[in-house]
Amino acid sequence: MLLLGAAASYSAFEDWALEPVAKSPQLQTTVTLDSPEPQAKLPLGAAQSSNPVHEESPSVKLASILKIKDLESRHGLLSALGDEMGKTNPERGWQMVLSDFTNIPDRQVFGIQVLRHWGQKDPHAALEACKQIPVGERRALVYSAALAGWAMKDPQAAAAWTLGNLSGIYRRTAIGRIGKVWAQTEPHKAAEWALQNSFEVDQVFSLNEVIDTWAETYARDAAEWCSKLPAGKLHDFALSRAVLKWADYFPKTTAEWLAEHPDDLWLLPRVAARWGQQDPLAAAVWLDKNVSEASAQECRQAMVLEWANYDPRVAFEWAVQVLKGAPRQVAFSGIFSHWASEYPEEARISALKLADETERHTSLESIFITWGTQNLEMFHTWLKEQKPGVEKDIGIEQLAALLSPTNPAAALSEVLTMQNPARRQRALTQHYQDWKLSEPLAAEAWLKQHQEAVKLMTP
């Protein structure tokens, strides 16, 4: 998503000065939101009055809102004020966008609402105003806001203007917003329009928003429409958008639909992963009753790997109970790799509890390679402190694999410290042969200085 406050900065936009706002005298006024500025009227026969102002000017209202420190409250009020200004006096609202803000996110919240209503009321004036924003991501966002407003009234006209006048990031952002707005009322027409875009990138941007919006309310209809697209990348892309959005809310119904569409069953593991986030036990029971054992195992594996992203310990405990065979090994590798990226010691302790030696060793390999990839120095220091044994040998193997591409001599020296003869011979031979293929002279020179390595590599 492109944000008005994206990392790239446009100094002309950021340097607009905050318009000084004078304190309004406590006088009777006839100000409304349509007024350019408050014009005080003194009561007849009085030079001054202490009566309060009945209606603040827009700039005074804005200044009061901008003083609110709570971000959520401030942005809620800014959105409401922008909505009001866009409906009643968008030209004045736009001038406030250009002059009354110093904070980019605040300006964005207010300005988007102004442009949305302005685009609905007078799209060409709103789009012309967008040119006052410097070229770049922020102009792309204001264009899309104005065009979204136009699309609420006439999506076909908004789309035609976009395709005829915009290109690059401006077009892609705008057609995405138009597709989203259009799909809220006429999803079939919006989807057909998205398909008619001449360029694949435009199809993808528009169809992505159309299908997501459609599936939010009528997911089955969206999935049925997508399933009838010709086979190919666009079919797979659109259907996956619809099905996965559906699965976010109704995973069981989505899984049942897929079971009735065997050609699209390739999406079931991804749906199961979504279901596993909400109710893994119910998902597992349904899989046992409705799909083959091979498919059920693949789906459970996907569930566990997704689960590991937010709770690797529980995902591991569940995998131990329900997975078997190859899916179990793949799941353990994924779980421990993710776990080790955050808590390597915690992952290691859990891996050591595995009763099966092969599973235990494979899991340790995943942990050590991830740990070493993320923080080689810390992993190396920890490894040196470990007692000789199979766990340390596995760690040295992974350390050597990480060192070998850039420092093969150091990798081989580490391998020489391994305790298990078979592991040591295998690792030593592998890394020496790899080095010899790329740098034969250096490899041979090292071997001449390490005669013990010659004996170790000789069966």
Side-chain angles (χ1 to χ4, degrees):
M1 296 289 293
L2 297 171
L3 302 178
L4 194 61
S9 65
Y10 302 93
S11 60
F13 193 74
E14 293 175 345
D15 293 342
W16 281 320
L18 179 65
E19 177 185 312
V21 180
K23 293 185 178 179
S24 300
Q26 301 297 307
L27 304 175
Q28 295 277 5
T29 75
T30 56
V31 173
T32 69
L33 282 174
D34 293 312
S35 306
E37 283 295 344
Q39 299 295 324
K41 283 189 176 183
L42 297 179
L44 187 61
Q48 293 183 344
S49 172
S50 59
N51 292 331
V53 174
H54 289 294
E55 286 194 64
E56 294 177 313
S57 74
S59 289
V60 171
K61 279 188 176 183
L62 178 61
S64 297
I65 293 171
L66 293 177
K67 293 177 182 177
I68 297 172
K69 293 184 178 180
D70 180 72
L71 181 65
E72 185 175 354
S73 298
R74 186 172 73 250
H75 281 187
L77 292 171
L78 284 172
S79 180
L81 182 59
D83 187 76
E84 187 175 2
M85 292 299 298
K87 291 176 180 177
T88 61
N89 193 344
E91 294 86 353
R92 174 67 197 289
W94 187 244
Q95 286 304 312
M96 292 165 67
V97 169
L98 300 182
S99 60
D100 287 18
F101 289 86
T102 56
N103 180 274
I104 297 298
D106 288 349
R107 175 186 285 145
Q108 172 183 321
V109 170
F110 177 84
I112 291 304
Q113 294 301 319
V114 171
L115 282 168
R116 185 169 62 88
H117 288 289
W118 198 1
Q120 189 174 4
K121 179 187 296 185
D122 188 351
H124 292 288
L127 291 165
E128 187 64 26
C130 291
K131 296 178 182 178
Q132 294 177 277
I133 303 301
V135 170
E137 290 183 340
R138 292 173 186 160
R139 185 183 288 187
L141 183 58
V142 294
Y143 267 140
S144 68
L147 286 161
W150 193 359
M152 294 173 68
K153 183 178 180 180
D154 191 346
Q156 290 182 322
W161 187 94
T162 298
L163 297 176
N165 292 274
L166 301 182
S167 62
I169 190 174
Y170 302 139
R171 177 192 288 178
R172 294 194 295 272
T173 307
I175 61 175
R177 288 292 300 277
I178 291 170
K180 185 178 184 67
V181 171
W182 199 348
Q184 292 171 4
T185 55
E186 297 179 311
H188 280 92
K189 288 185 178 180
E192 293 296 339
W193 161 75
L195 288 181
Q196 292 170 10
N197 283 300
S198 302
F199 302 102
E200 184 180 15
V201 66
D202 292 344
Q203 286 182 333
V204 170
F205 265 76
S206 55
L207 198 58
N208 177 66
E209 294 295 340
V210 169
I211 297 303
D212 267 9
T213 304
W214 193 357
E216 284 278 358
T217 50
Y218 302 105
R220 184 183 295 274
D221 290 348
E224 291 286 358
W225 183 88
C226 294
S227 69
K228 294 179 174 63
L229 291 172
K233 290 192 301 181
L234 201 61
H235 168 279
D236 294 348
F237 166 76
L239 184 61
S240 64
R241 297 297 303 183
V243 165
L244 296 180
K245 178 64 70 173
W246 192 3
D248 283 340
Y249 303 106
F250 301 103
K252 182 175 183 292
T253 307
T254 312
E256 291 170 346
W257 185 87
L258 285 173
E260 297 170 358
H261 294 74
D263 290 343
D264 302 319
L265 208 56
W266 56 275
L267 281 166
L268 187 59
R270 296 174 68 185
V271 170
R274 294 285 209 280
W275 198 352
Q277 293 178 2
Q278 304 169 28
D279 191 347
L281 297 180
V285 170
W286 185 91
L287 290 167
D288 287 338
K289 294 180 179 179
N290 293 280
V291 299
S292 67
E293 177 58 24
S295 180
Q297 283 290 335
E298 185 181 0
C299 289
R300 292 192 193 100
Q301 174 186 313
M303 289 164 59
V304 169
L305 292 175
E306 183 71 24
W307 205 348
N309 289 325
Y310 58 92
D311 196 342
R313 181 192 297 278
V314 177
F316 167 66
E317 293 171 351
W318 191 79
V320 169
Q321 297 176 6
V322 302
L323 294 184
K324 300 175 183 177
R328 178 182 172 104
Q329 295 178 16
V330 172
F332 282 169
S333 178
I335 289 170
F336 283 113
S337 179
H338 183 83
W339 202 347
S341 68
E342 298 174 342
Y343 304 102
E345 281 278 33
E346 186 178 291
R348 169 184 158 271
I349 291 170
S350 292
L352 290 173
K353 296 177 182 177
L354 288 167
D356 183 87
E357 183 179 75
T358 301
E359 289 181 350
R360 186 168 64 251
H361 291 177
T362 302
S363 298
L364 287 172
E365 288 174 4
S366 295
I367 293 167
F368 292 149
I369 197 70
T370 300
W371 191 358
T373 299
Q374 290 204 326
N375 194 328
L376 184 61
E377 184 178 353
M378 181 180 291
F379 172 59
H380 196 180
T381 300
W382 175 86
L383 195 59
K384 288 179 180 178
E385 297 172 353
Q386 304 311 300
K387 296 179 181 179
V390 65
E391 184 183 358
K392 186 169 185 175
D393 280 358
I394 293 172
I396 292 172
E397 276 187 311
Q398 306 314 308
L399 176 64
L402 292 168
L403 293 174
S404 185
T406 57
N407 194 344
L412 290 172
S413 297
E414 292 289 344
V415 169
L416 289 174
T417 67
M418 293 173 65
Q419 298 297 303
N420 184 278
R423 282 183 177 275
R424 183 176 57 215
Q425 182 188 47
R426 182 176 65 247
L428 194 63
T429 302
Q430 175 191 334
H431 292 301
Y432 177 75
Q433 292 299 333
D434 289 344
W435 190 11
K436 190 175 180 180
L437 286 173
S438 60
E439 298 180 303
L441 296 179
E444 290 175 6
W446 180 89
L447 192 60
K448 288 178 181 179
Q449 297 175 358
H450 297 81
Q451 290 300 310
E452 72 274 24
V454 177
K455 297 177 181 179
L456 290 171
M457 286 191 291
T458 304

Coordinates of all heavy atoms in Angstrom, one line a residue, residues 28-104:
Q28 N -20.2 37.7 19.1 CA -21.2 37.1 18.3 C -20.7 37.0 16.8 O -20.2 38.0 16.3 CB -22.5 37.9 18.3 CG -23.2 37.9 19.7 CD -24.0 36.7 20.0 OE1 -24.0 35.8 19.1 NE2 -24.7 36.6 21.1
T29 N -20.9 35.9 16.1 CA -20.5 35.9 14.7 C -21.6 35.2 13.9 O -22.5 34.6 14.4 CB -19.2 35.0 14.5 OG1 -19.5 33.7 14.7 CG2 -18.2 35.5 15.5
T30 N -21.4 35.3 12.6 CA -22.3 34.5 11.7 C -21.5 33.5 10.9 O -21.9 33.3 9.7 CB -23.0 35.5 10.7 OG1 -22.0 36.3 10.1 CG2 -23.9 36.5 11.5
V31 N -20.5 33.0 11.5 CA -19.6 32.1 10.7 C -20.3 30.7 10.5 O -20.9 30.2 11.4 CB -18.3 31.9 11.5 CG1 -17.4 30.9 10.8 CG2 -17.6 33.2 11.5
T32 N -20.1 30.1 9.3 CA -20.4 28.7 9.1 C -19.2 28.1 8.4 O -18.2 28.8 8.1 CB -21.6 28.6 8.2 OG1 -21.3 29.1 6.9 CG2 -22.8 29.4 8.7
L33 N -19.3 26.8 8.1 CA -18.2 26.1 7.4 C -18.0 26.7 6.0 O -17.0 26.5 5.4 CB -18.4 24.6 7.4 CG -18.1 23.9 8.7 CD1 -18.6 22.5 8.6 CD2 -16.7 24.0 9.0
D34 N -19.0 27.3 5.5 CA -18.9 27.9 4.1 C -18.2 29.2 4.1 O -17.8 29.7 3.1 CB -20.3 28.1 3.5 CG -20.9 26.7 3.2 OD1 -20.2 25.9 2.6 OD2 -22.1 26.5 3.6
S35 N -18.0 29.8 5.3 CA -17.4 31.1 5.4 C -15.9 31.0 5.2 O -15.3 30.1 5.7 CB -17.7 31.8 6.8 OG -19.0 31.8 7.0
P36 N -15.2 31.9 4.5 CA -13.8 31.8 4.3 C -13.0 32.1 5.6 O -12.1 31.4 5.9 CB -13.5 32.9 3.3 CG -14.6 33.9 3.4 CD -15.8 33.0 3.7
E37 N -13.5 33.0 6.4 CA -12.9 33.2 7.7 C -14.0 33.9 8.6 O -14.9 34.5 8.0 CB -11.7 34.2 7.6 CG -10.4 33.5 7.1 CD -9.9 32.5 8.1 OE1 -10.3 32.4 9.2 OE2 -9.1 31.7 7.6
P38 N -13.9 33.8 9.9 CA -14.9 34.4 10.7 C -14.9 35.9 10.6 O -13.9 36.5 10.6 CB -14.5 33.9 12.1 CG -13.1 33.6 12.0 CD -12.9 33.1 10.7
Q39 N -16.1 36.5 10.5 CA -16.2 38.0 10.4 C -17.0 38.4 11.6 O -18.2 38.1 11.7 CB -16.9 38.4 9.1 CG -16.1 38.0 7.9 CD -14.8 38.7 7.8 OE1 -14.7 39.8 8.2 NE2 -13.7 38.0 7.3
A40 N -16.4 39.0 12.6 CA -17.1 39.4 13.8 C -18.1 40.5 13.5 O -17.8 41.4 12.8 CB -16.1 39.9 14.8
K41 N -19.2 40.4 14.2 CA -20.2 41.5 14.2 C -20.4 42.0 15.6 O -20.8 41.2 16.4 CB -21.5 41.0 13.6 CG -21.5 40.8 12.0 CD -22.9 40.5 11.5 CE -22.9 40.5 10.0 NZ -24.3 40.3 9.5
L42 N -20.3 43.2 15.8 CA -20.5 43.8 17.1 C -22.0 44.0 17.4 O -22.7 44.4 16.5 CB -19.7 45.1 17.3 CG -18.2 45.0 17.2 CD1 -17.6 46.4 17.3 CD2 -17.6 44.1 18.2
P43 N -22.4 43.7 18.5 CA -23.9 44.0 18.9 C -24.1 45.4 18.7 O -23.3 46.3 19.0 CB -24.0 43.5 20.3 CG -22.9 42.5 20.5 CD -21.8 43.0 19.6
L44 N -25.3 45.8 18.3 CA -25.7 47.2 18.1 C -25.6 48.0 19.4 O -26.0 47.6 20.4 CB -27.2 47.2 17.6 CG -27.7 48.6 17.2 CD1 -26.9 49.2 16.0 CD2 -29.2 48.6 16.9
G45 N -24.8 49.1 19.2 CA -24.7 50.0 20.4 C -23.6 49.6 21.3 O -23.5 50.1 22.4
A46 N -22.8 48.6 21.0 CA -21.7 48.1 21.9 C -20.4 48.1 21.1 O -20.3 47.7 20.0 CB -22.1 46.7 22.4
A47 N -19.4 48.6 21.8 CA -18.1 48.6 21.2 C -17.4 47.2 21.3 O -16.7 46.8 20.4 CB -17.2 49.6 21.9
Q48 N -17.7 46.5 22.3 CA -17.1 45.1 22.5 C -18.2 44.3 23.2 O -19.2 44.8 23.8 CB -15.9 45.2 23.4 CG -14.7 45.9 22.8 CD -13.5 45.9 23.7 OE1 -13.6 45.6 24.9 NE2 -12.3 46.2 23.1
S49 N -18.0 43.0 23.1 CA -18.9 42.0 23.7 C -18.1 40.8 24.2 O -17.1 40.4 23.6 CB -20.0 41.6 22.7 OG -20.7 40.5 23.3
S50 N -18.5 40.3 25.3 CA -17.9 39.1 25.8 C -18.7 37.8 25.6 O -18.4 36.8 26.1 CB -17.6 39.2 27.4 OG -18.9 39.4 28.0
N51 N -19.7 37.9 24.7 CA -20.5 36.7 24.4 C -19.7 35.7 23.6 O -18.9 36.1 22.8 CB -21.7 37.1 23.6 CG -22.7 37.9 24.4 OD1 -22.8 37.8 25.6 ND2 -23.4 38.8 23.7
P52 N -19.8 34.4 23.9 CA -19.0 33.4 23.2 C -19.4 33.3 21.7 O -20.5 33.6 21.3 CB -19.4 32.1 23.9 CG -20.8 32.4 24.4 CD -20.8 33.8 24.8
V53 N -18.4 32.8 20.9 CA -18.6 32.6 19.5 C -19.5 31.3 19.4 O -19.3 30.3 20.0 CB -17.3 32.3 18.8 CG1 -17.5 31.8 17.3 CG2 -16.4 33.5 18.8
H54 N -20.6 31.4 18.5 CA -21.5 30.3 18.4 C -20.9 29.2 17.5 O -21.1 28.0 17.7 CB -22.8 30.8 17.8 CG -23.6 31.6 18.9 ND1 -24.1 31.0 20.0 CD2 -23.9 32.9 18.9 CE1 -24.7 31.9 20.7 NE2 -24.6 33.1 20.1
E55 N -20.2 29.6 16.4 CA -19.6 28.7 15.5 C -18.2 29.1 15.2 O -17.9 30.2 14.8 CB -20.4 28.6 14.2 CG -21.7 27.8 14.3 CD -22.2 27.5 12.9 OE1 -21.6 26.7 12.2 OE2 -23.3 28.1 12.6
E56 N -17.3 28.1 15.4 CA -15.9 28.4 15.2 C -15.6 28.3 13.7 O -16.3 27.6 12.9 CB -15.0 27.4 15.9 CG -15.0 27.4 17.4 CD -14.2 26.3 18.0 OE1 -14.3 25.2 17.5 OE2 -13.4 26.7 18.9
S57 N -14.6 29.0 13.2 CA -14.2 28.9 11.8 C -13.5 27.5 11.6 O -13.0 26.9 12.6 CB -13.2 30.0 11.4 OG -11.9 29.7 12.0
P58 N -13.4 27.0 10.4 CA -12.8 25.7 10.2 C -11.3 25.7 10.7 O -10.9 24.7 11.3 CB -12.8 25.6 8.6 CG -14.0 26.4 8.2 CD -14.1 27.5 9.2
S59 N -10.6 26.8 10.4 CA -9.2 26.8 10.9 C -9.1 26.7 12.4 O -8.2 26.1 13.0 CB -8.5 28.0 10.3 OG -8.3 28.0 9.0
V60 N -10.0 27.4 13.1 CA -10.0 27.4 14.6 C -10.3 26.0 15.1 O -9.7 25.4 16.0 CB -11.0 28.4 15.1 CG1 -11.1 28.2 16.7 CG2 -10.5 29.8 14.8
K61 N -11.3 25.4 14.4 CA -11.7 24.0 14.8 C -10.5 23.1 14.6 O -10.2 22.2 15.4 CB -12.9 23.5 13.9 CG -14.2 23.9 14.3 CD -15.3 23.2 13.5 CE -16.7 23.5 13.9 NZ -17.7 22.8 13.2
L62 N -9.8 23.2 13.4 CA -8.7 22.4 13.1 C -7.6 22.6 14.1 O -7.0 21.6 14.6 CB -8.2 22.7 11.7 CG -6.9 21.9 11.2 CD1 -7.2 20.5 11.2 CD2 -6.5 22.4 9.9
A63 N -7.3 23.8 14.5 CA -6.2 24.1 15.4 C -6.5 23.4 16.8 O -5.6 22.9 17.4 CB -6.1 25.6 15.6
S64 N -7.8 23.4 17.2 CA -8.2 22.8 18.4 C -8.0 21.3 18.4 O -7.5 20.6 19.3 CB -9.6 23.1 18.8 OG -9.9 24.4 18.9
I65 N -8.3 20.7 17.2 CA -8.2 19.2 17.1 C -6.7 18.9 17.1 O -6.3 17.8 17.7 CB -8.8 18.8 15.8 CG1 -10.3 18.9 15.8 CG2 -8.5 17.3 15.4 CD1 -11.1 18.7 14.5
L66 N -5.9 19.7 16.4 CA -4.4 19.3 16.3 C -3.7 19.4 17.7 O -2.6 18.9 17.8 CB -3.8 20.3 15.3 CG -4.2 20.1 13.8 CD1 -3.5 21.1 13.0 CD2 -3.9 18.7 13.3
K67 N -4.3 20.0 18.6 CA -3.7 20.0 20.0 C -4.0 18.7 20.8 O -3.3 18.5 21.8 CB -4.3 21.2 20.8 CG -3.9 22.6 20.2 CD -4.6 23.7 21.0 CE -4.3 25.1 20.4 NZ -5.0 26.1 21.2
I68 N -4.9 17.9 20.3 CA -5.2 16.6 21.0 C -4.0 15.7 20.8 O -3.6 15.4 19.7 CB -6.5 16.0 20.4 CG1 -7.7 17.0 20.6 CG2 -6.8 14.7 21.0 CD1 -8.9 16.5 19.9
K69 N -3.5 15.2 21.9 CA -2.4 14.3 21.9 C -2.7 12.8 21.6 O -1.9 12.2 21.0 CB -1.6 14.4 23.3 CG -1.0 15.7 23.6 CD -0.3 15.7 24.9 CE 0.4 17.1 25.1 NZ 1.1 17.1 26.4
D70 N -3.9 12.4 22.0 CA -4.2 11.0 21.7 C -4.4 10.8 20.1 O -5.3 11.5 19.5 CB -5.5 10.6 22.4 CG -5.9 9.2 22.1 OD1 -5.2 8.3 22.6 OD2 -6.9 9.0 21.4
L71 N -3.6 10.0 19.5 CA -3.6 9.8 18.1 C -4.9 9.4 17.5 O -5.4 9.9 16.5 CB -2.5 8.9 17.6 CG -2.3 8.6 16.1 CD1 -1.9 9.9 15.5 CD2 -1.3 7.5 15.9
E72 N -5.5 8.4 18.1 CA -6.7 7.8 17.6 C -7.9 8.8 17.7 O -8.6 9.0 16.7 CB -7.1 6.6 18.4 CG -8.4 5.8 17.9 CD -8.6 4.5 18.6 OE1 -7.8 4.1 19.5 OE2 -9.7 3.9 18.4
S73 N -7.9 9.6 18.8 CA -9.0 10.6 18.9 C -8.8 11.7 17.9 O -9.7 12.2 17.3 CB -9.0 11.1 20.4 OG -9.3 10.1 21.3
R74 N -7.5 12.1 17.8 CA -7.2 13.2 16.9 C -7.5 12.9 15.4 O -8.2 13.6 14.7 CB -5.7 13.6 17.0 CG -5.4 14.9 16.2 CD -4.0 15.3 16.5 NE -2.9 14.5 15.9 CZ -2.1 13.7 16.5 NH1 -2.2 13.7 17.9 NH2 -1.2 13.0 15.9
H75 N -7.2 11.7 15.0 CA -7.4 11.3 13.7 C -8.9 11.1 13.4 O -9.4 11.3 12.3 CB -6.6 10.0 13.3 CG -5.2 10.3 13.0 ND1 -4.3 9.4 12.5 CD2 -4.5 11.5 13.1 CE1 -3.1 9.9 12.3 NE2 -3.2 11.2 12.7
G76 N -9.6 10.6 14.4 CA -11.1 10.5 14.3 C -11.7 11.8 14.0 O -12.6 11.9 13.1
L77 N -11.3 12.8 14.8 CA -11.9 14.1 14.6 C -11.4 14.8 13.3 O -12.2 15.5 12.7 CB -11.5 15.0 15.8 CG -12.2 14.6 17.1 CD1 -11.6 15.4 18.3 CD2 -13.7 14.8 17.1
L78 N -10.2 14.6 12.9 CA -9.7 15.1 11.7 C -10.5 14.5 10.5 O -10.8 15.2 9.5 CB -8.2 14.8 11.5 CG -7.3 15.7 12.3 CD1 -5.8 15.2 12.2 CD2 -7.3 17.2 11.9
S79 N -10.7 13.2 10.6 CA -11.5 12.6 9.5 C -12.9 13.2 9.4 O -13.4 13.4 8.3 CB -11.6 11.1 9.8 OG -12.3 10.4 8.7
A80 N -13.5 13.4 10.6 CA -14.9 13.9 10.6 C -14.9 15.4 10.0 O -15.8 15.7 9.3 CB -15.4 13.9 12.0
L81 N -13.9 16.2 10.4 CA -13.8 17.5 9.9 C -13.5 17.6 8.4 O -14.1 18.3 7.7 CB -12.7 18.3 10.7 CG -12.6 19.8 10.3 CD1 -13.9 20.6 10.5 CD2 -11.5 20.5 11.0
G82 N -12.7 16.7 8.0 CA -12.4 16.6 6.5 C -13.6 16.2 5.8 O -13.9 16.7 4.7
D83 N -14.4 15.2 6.3 CA -15.6 14.8 5.7 C -16.6 16.0 5.6 O -17.2 16.2 4.5 CB -16.2 13.7 6.6 CG -17.4 13.0 5.9 OD1 -17.2 12.2 5.0 OD2 -18.5 13.3 6.4
E84 N -16.7 16.8 6.6 CA -17.6 17.9 6.6 C -17.2 19.0 5.6 O -18.0 19.5 4.9 CB -17.7 18.5 8.0 CG -18.7 19.6 8.2 CD -18.8 20.0 9.7 OE1 -18.0 19.5 10.5 OE2 -19.6 20.9 9.9
M85 N -15.9 19.3 5.6 CA -15.4 20.3 4.7 C -15.5 19.8 3.2 O -15.8 20.6 2.3 CB -13.9 20.6 5.0 CG -13.7 21.3 6.3 SD -14.5 22.9 6.4 CE -13.7 23.8 5.1
G86 N -15.3 18.5 3.0 CA -15.4 18.0 1.7 C -16.8 18.1 1.1 O -17.1 18.4 -0.1
K87 N -17.8 18.0 2.0 CA -19.2 18.1 1.6 C -19.7 19.5 1.4 O -20.5 19.8 0.5 CB -20.1 17.4 2.7 CG -20.0 15.9 2.7 CD -20.8 15.4 3.9 CE -20.7 13.9 3.9 NZ -21.5 13.3 5.1
T88 N -19.2 20.5 2.3 CA -19.7 21.8 2.3 C -18.8 22.8 1.5 O -19.3 23.7 0.9 CB -19.9 22.3 3.7 OG1 -18.6 22.3 4.4 CG2 -20.8 21.4 4.5
N89 N -17.5 22.7 1.7 CA -16.6 23.7 1.0 C -15.3 23.1 0.8 O -14.3 23.3 1.5 CB -16.5 24.9 2.0 CG -15.8 26.1 1.3 OD1 -15.2 26.0 0.2 ND2 -15.9 27.2 1.9
P90 N -15.2 22.2 -0.2 CA -13.9 21.5 -0.5 C -12.8 22.4 -0.9 O -11.6 22.1 -0.5 CB -14.3 20.5 -1.6 CG -15.5 21.1 -2.3 CD -16.2 21.8 -1.2
E91 N -13.1 23.5 -1.6 CA -12.0 24.4 -2.0 C -11.3 24.9 -0.7 O -10.1 25.0 -0.6 CB -12.5 25.5 -2.8 CG -13.1 25.1 -4.2 CD -14.5 24.6 -4.1 OE1 -15.1 24.5 -3.0 OE2 -15.1 24.4 -5.2
R92 N -12.1 25.4 0.2 CA -11.5 25.9 1.5 C -10.8 24.7 2.2 O -9.7 24.9 2.8 CB -12.6 26.5 2.4 CG -12.2 26.9 3.7 CD -11.2 28.1 3.7 NE -10.5 28.2 5.0 CZ -11.1 28.6 6.1 NH1 -12.4 28.9 6.1 NH2 -10.3 28.7 7.2
G93 N -11.4 23.6 2.3 CA -10.8 22.4 2.9 C -9.4 22.1 2.3 O -8.4 21.8 3.0
W94 N -9.3 22.3 1.0 CA -8.0 22.0 0.3 C -7.0 23.0 0.7 O -5.8 22.7 0.9 CB -8.2 21.9 -1.2 CG -7.0 21.5 -1.9 CD1 -6.3 22.2 -2.8 CD2 -6.3 20.2 -1.8 NE1 -5.2 21.5 -3.3 CE2 -5.2 20.3 -2.7 CE3 -6.6 19.1 -1.1 CZ2 -4.3 19.2 -2.8 CZ3 -5.7 18.0 -1.2 CH2 -4.6 18.1 -2.1
Q95 N -7.4 24.3 0.8 CA -6.5 25.3 1.2 C -5.9 25.0 2.6 O -4.8 25.3 2.9 CB -7.1 26.7 1.2 CG -7.3 27.2 -0.2 CD -6.0 27.3 -1.0 OE1 -5.0 27.8 -0.5 NE2 -6.0 26.8 -2.2
M96 N -6.8 24.5 3.5 CA -6.3 24.1 4.8 C -5.3 23.0 4.7 O -4.3 22.9 5.5 CB -7.6 23.7 5.7 CG -8.5 24.8 6.0 SD -10.1 24.2 6.6 CE -9.6 23.5 8.2
V97 N -5.5 22.0 3.8 CA -4.6 20.9 3.6 C -3.2 21.5 3.3 O -2.2 21.1 3.8 CB -5.0 20.0 2.5 CG1 -3.9 19.0 2.1 CG2 -6.3 19.2 2.9
L98 N -3.2 22.5 2.4 CA -1.9 23.1 1.9 C -1.3 24.0 3.0 O 0.0 24.2 2.9 CB -2.2 23.9 0.7 CG -2.8 23.2 -0.5 CD1 -2.9 24.1 -1.7 CD2 -1.9 22.0 -0.9
S99 N -2.0 24.6 3.9 CA -1.4 25.6 4.7 C -1.5 25.4 6.2 O -0.7 26.0 7.0 CB -2.1 27.0 4.4 OG -3.5 26.9 4.7
D100 N -2.4 24.5 6.7 CA -2.7 24.5 8.2 C -2.0 23.3 8.9 O -2.3 23.1 10.0 CB -4.2 24.5 8.4 CG -4.8 25.8 8.2 OD1 -4.2 26.6 7.5 OD2 -6.0 26.1 8.6
F101 N -1.2 22.5 8.2 CA -0.6 21.3 8.8 C 0.9 21.3 8.7 O 1.5 21.8 7.8 CB -1.1 20.1 8.0 CG -2.6 19.7 8.2 CD1 -3.5 20.3 7.4 CD2 -3.0 18.8 9.2 CE1 -4.9 20.0 7.6 CE2 -4.3 18.5 9.4 CZ -5.3 19.1 8.6
T102 N 1.5 20.7 9.7 CA 2.9 20.5 9.7 C 3.1 19.0 9.8 O 4.2 18.5 9.5 CB 3.6 21.2 10.9 OG1 3.0 20.8 12.1 CG2 3.5 22.7 10.7
N103 N 2.2 18.2 10.3 CA 2.3 16.8 10.5 C 1.7 16.0 9.3 O 0.5 16.2 9.0 CB 1.6 16.3 11.8 CG 1.7 14.8 12.1 OD1 0.9 14.1 11.6 ND2 2.7 14.4 12.8
I104 N 2.5 15.2 8.6 CA 2.1 14.5 7.4 C 0.9 13.6 7.6 O -0.1 13.6 6.9 CB 3.2 13.8 6.7 CG1 4.3 14.8 6.3 CG2 2.8 13.0 5.5 CD1 3.9 15.8 5.3

